Amino acid sequence: MKYRDHQIQTQREAPNNARTKAFAFLVRAGYLTRENIPTKLGEHVINHLRKLSNEPSFTSHLSLPTIGNDNETFFSISSGPIQVAYCPACKYAERLELARFAKSALPYEEQLPLEKVLTPDCNTIDSLANFLNIPKEKTAKALMYTRVSDNKFVFVVLRGDMQASESKLKQQVGDIRPSTAEEIVSAGAAAGYASAIGLKEALIVVDDLIPRSQNLVAGTNETGYHFKNTNYGRDYSAEVIADLIQAKEDDICINCGNPLSVLPTNILATHNEYNFENILLALAESYHDEKGLTLHQPIAPFDVYLMHLPGKEVDTRAKAEEICDTLRHANISVLFDDRDERAGVKFNDADLIGCPMRLTVGEKGLKEGMVELKLRKGKENQLVAIENILAEISSVSK
Ligand SMILES: [Zn+2]
């Protein structure tokens, strides 16, 4: 591949919309446009990754610090749209809305008799807890939905201090939407003062902490009043008892008891599909230095960045072309920088694009039958006799 065929456009500056170093370098190195569209070079590396993905060793070649589970693989990156709950201790990882965590019940209490109390203007958990001067943990929160498939009224109960995960709820009951005011009234509930007590024809679903919680304050289905001391089993029961709660930072890992972290991530793979755009971004985030990308074999789009420095007496480009052919015949992939640019410009671009090796064909070296080899991650140049290039490349790429 020749530089000019690829229409590579590198940039001096990071784009001002870059939220990660990875994106900044991919744009600067000419793999992505500022609008996050792969360029010709970007398409090339994505196709290269796609081909490599047929090999069983693909993920070990990537060598990325991923997190995940049997179904999905994620990469933590600050711009990532998917929140994942992750346990650094045991590596448990799950999408936040489906993540499980260890809940602890409040200390057991003897069940007290139901007591109806006046609670004016207490249609939220906060106002209720304030008014009665109790912790939110001692209240029951009610959520009301209508099941899409059969218009069944779905009444959900969880502890007042917790947030429901609609994804977990949907796993239990199917697709749902918030109930309308009319549906709430016709089910016998009162918005802001709802409880499962006395409802008819409702599918009652409770979080699994509710049967372990005694004497919660809950609605009466009568505006302005709540019940003290509602108890699951005595006062109402449910068709479904399941974990319905959205995990959050520092919740306790279900497997090992250590605190969970919540990380923004990109998805890299599901069990049967890779996301190569996200893999490229993850590679750029993991493999760069201050000058550009530092991709390794075999995931780098080219093994060798070959360039010539225009000469006064020797046709360096013709010699570089010859070397390019030799490398290709040996199945070494080459990006040939065939532009008549200054050395500094080419060196900068070679560093940005990040091929593992750079070969420089210059007049001075050629007079002695030598070219210059530099590893992208190395500091030193090394002179190599032209006839030894293949041997040298294969020995350094091991
Ligand atoms: Zn854990």
Side-chain angles (χ1 to χ4, degrees):
M1 286 293 169
K2 290 185 180 170
Y3 194 98
R4 286 193 281 208
D5 296 340
H6 263 90
Q7 296 154 357
I8 296 171
Q9 289 285 337
T10 57
Q11 319 268 344
R12 270 174 178 280
E13 304 288 335
N16 49 20
N17 63 336
R19 291 160 66 198
T20 58
K21 287 212 162 140
F23 180 74
F25 276 128
L26 287 171
V27 172
R28 286 189 60 203
Y31 290 91
L32 295 177
T33 67
R34 285 166 187 245
E35 293 73 37
N36 197 21
I37 314 271
T39 59
K40 220 172 158 190
L41 178 64
E43 293 289 355
H44 175 84
V45 66
I46 285 167
N47 285 332
H48 174 66
L49 292 170
R50 185 174 285 124
K51 267 183 223 153
L52 279 179
S53 71
N54 295 321
E55 297 175 17
S57 52
F58 179 55
T59 51
S60 67
H61 284 326
L62 292 176
S63 187
L64 287 171
T66 58
I67 59 176
N69 51 48
D70 290 346
N71 299 317
E72 295 181 302
T73 304
F74 305 97
F75 179 79
S76 170
I77 187 163
S78 60
S79 60
I82 302 173
Q83 301 257 298
V84 169
Y86 175 63
C87 174
C90 76
K91 314 299 177 204
Y92 172 76
E94 183 56 88
R95 284 177 184 251
L96 184 60
E97 65 270 23
L98 296 177
R100 301 184 60 222
F101 65 99
K103 298 171 192 163
S104 53
L106 296 176
Y108 179 79
E109 293 177 11
E110 287 300 325
Q111 294 187 358
L112 298 173
L114 264 190
E115 185 186 338
K116 188 172 169 182
V117 289
L118 184 64
T119 52
D121 302 320
C122 292
N123 59 355
T124 64
I125 293 291
D126 282 323
S127 56
L128 179 66
N130 258 330
F131 182 79
L132 295 176
N133 196 24
I134 53 171
K136 289 194 276 186
E137 289 86 330
K138 295 301 290 180
T139 67
K141 184 188 282 186
L143 301 170
M144 293 172 277
Y145 296 93
T146 300
R147 182 154 63 192
V148 172
S149 63
D150 57 2
N151 286 324
K152 182 87 178 166
F153 188 66
V154 179
F155 193 93
V156 180
V157 184
L158 43 132
R159 221 170 64 175
D161 59 316
M162 297 188 156
Q163 299 298 324
S165 155
E166 268 193 23
S167 301
K168 288 181 178 178
L169 182 59
K170 285 177 183 173
Q171 284 187 329
Q172 297 298 326
V173 302
D175 203 12
I176 47 170
R177 58 169 173 80
S179 297
T180 64
E182 294 77 39
E183 286 166 337
I184 291 171
V185 171
S186 68
Y193 292 86
S195 86
I197 298 171
L199 288 186
K200 294 187 184 75
E201 314 266 321
L203 173 62
I204 296 175
V205 183
V206 302
D207 177 57
D208 53 15
L209 198 52
I210 290 296
R212 294 191 278 145
S213 304
Q214 296 83 39
N215 303 327
L216 299 181
V217 173
T220 53
N221 293 321
E222 186 181 339
T223 301
Y225 293 91
H226 279 87
F227 282 128
K228 283 184 172 176
N229 307 324
T230 69
N231 283 282
Y232 179 85
R234 182 190 70 182
D235 303 320
Y236 66 101
S237 59
E239 281 76 12
V240 180
I241 301 173
D243 169 36
L244 303 174
I245 307 300
Q246 170 107 355
K248 58 186 191 313
E249 184 89 23
D250 290 331
D251 276 341
I252 301 303
C253 175
I254 191 91
N255 291 336
C256 76
N258 282 292
L260 293 172
S261 303
V262 176
L263 304 174
T265 71
N266 272 338
I267 189 153
L268 300 192
T270 59
H271 47 131
N272 53 10
E273 203 176 352
Y274 290 106
N275 182 317
F276 295 103
E277 282 83 358
N278 286 347
I279 290 174
L280 177 59
L281 190 75
L283 287 167
E285 185 73 0
S286 299
Y287 297 105
H288 67 257
D289 59 17
E290 70 285 357
K291 291 177 173 170
L293 301 179
T294 56
L295 302 173
H296 51 270
Q297 284 179 312
I299 53 113
F302 305 97
D303 302 319
V304 174
Y305 190 100
L306 173 68
M307 55 182 274
H308 70 287
L309 302 177
K312 294 197 177 80
E313 299 159 38
V314 186
D315 187 350
T316 50
R317 189 201 294 190
K319 194 68 205 172
E321 292 262 14
E322 266 176 47
I323 293 171
C324 189
D325 289 341
T326 310
L327 295 177
R328 280 211 202 110
H329 282 124
N331 271 331
I332 294 165
S333 61
V334 185
L335 176 60
F336 178 22
D337 187 346
D338 55 338
R339 300 170 301 167
D340 290 323
E341 285 283 358
R342 285 182 296 115
V345 171
K346 291 184 162 187
F347 288 149
N348 283 343
D349 283 355
D351 283 342
L352 271 174
I353 292 168
C355 305
M357 280 172 270
R358 186 184 79 198
L359 271 182
T360 306
V361 182
E363 196 165 57
K364 196 169 156 233
L366 276 187
K367 284 180 177 166
E368 289 159 32
M370 308 285 251
V371 294
E372 221 178 67
L373 173 68
K374 182 181 173 296
L375 298 184
R376 173 63 182 83
K377 290 191 237 181
K379 289 208 162 51
E380 304 298 323
N381 292 325
Q382 164 187 6
L383 283 173
V384 178
I386 290 172
E387 62 272 22
N388 293 339
I389 289 175
L390 285 180
E392 198 56 44
I393 285 176
S394 77
S395 86
V396 296
S397 46
K398 267 171 198 155

